[in-house]
Amino acid sequence: MAGDEIVMPENAFLMIHDPSGLVMGTAADMREMAGTLDKIAAGMLRGYAARSGRPEEEIAGLMAAETWLTAAEALEAGLATRLAEPVRIAARFDIARFRNAPPALVDAVETPDPEYAKTETDIVDDANDVASVPDPAPQPVADDPDGPMADASTAPNATAIRAEAIAHARAVVDLCRLAGQPQMAGRFLEEDASLDAVRSSLLDTKAEAAPEITPHHPQPGRSATTRPWGDVIARTFKLKG
């Protein structure tokens, strides 16, 4: 809601909802968490109301109900500024955790795109099919002993071509898996991209997706001082008798 322009593809959805969270502790801890969630909800409420020009009471009801808006509905509600061409869904997430997800979105998320649903075995099999070319026809041998002669040792070998294609496919798959982008392997193989081109594209993708993290803030992930959750629970009950 902070952008000067909010552009939504025509097949996108905008979902607004109350904030949620988890807390473990005493009643006081839970009351404190409830207060924090109320503060977050109030900030979200003001943002949606300011952008749309609608009353806060109306927005509060939409948030409480977990309301899903199509792009056209979001535009009409003032929560988007213009529509764009439809795009293919690329995100993968557990749609079942939402209460009111539109059936069309549920179907789109739960039905994988054939291009991106290929497994590593499928990709290697595709490469095997591409490499399964017939042996080249033998070249005629010239009658002139001084003329050009066909050297059978230099003729392409179908088995070698197939093995090379499969090795290349596996290398591409491995690079994409290491980069956390396994869905990109199929496109690279269709384009017959070299390994250098694959590495370069994966590095560009990672650079575009990498968030800027302030070094003064705690970094994500488990720290060196993190204790197993079971130990934390055991210590908590021990301290509280």
Side-chain angles (χ1 to χ4, degrees), residues 144-230:
D144 184 359
D146 296 326
M149 301 278 292
D151 188 353
S153 64
T154 62
N157 182 277
T159 302
I161 294 174
R162 184 180 303 110
E164 182 179 351
I166 292 175
H168 177 77
R170 285 177 175 155
V172 170
V173 171
D174 287 342
L175 285 172
C176 293
R177 290 176 60 189
L178 287 172
Q181 302 290 338
Q183 76 281 0
M184 297 179 68
R187 176 167 62 84
F188 289 138
L189 291 176
E190 290 176 2
E191 296 173 353
D192 196 23
S194 67
L195 292 183
D196 286 340
V198 171
R199 292 188 188 96
S200 177
S201 180
L202 290 172
L203 287 173
D204 290 342
T205 301
K206 184 174 180 61
E208 292 174 0
E212 295 183 2
I213 301 177
T214 305
H216 304 295
H217 293 170
Q219 300 302 299
R222 184 182 293 271
S223 68
T225 59
T226 301
R227 290 178 297 162
W229 188 238

Side-chain angles (χ1 to χ4, degrees), residues 15-20 60-68 93-103 106:
M15 188 264 283
I16 62 176
H17 61 95
D18 280 336
S20 61
L62 296 177
M63 290 173 58
E66 185 193 283
T67 301
W68 294 72
F93 58 94
D94 182 11
I95 192 69
R97 66 184 179 178
F98 299 106
R99 290 178 294 166
N100 303 321
V106 173

Side-chain angles (χ1 to χ4, degrees), residues 21-48:
L22 295 173
V23 65
M24 177 179 177
T26 65
D29 296 326
M30 296 182 183
R31 291 189 185 96
E32 181 181 0
M33 181 60 166
T36 300
L37 291 175
D38 286 342
K39 292 178 182 178
I40 295 172
M44 296 168 63
L45 183 62
R46 288 192 296 270
Y48 290 131

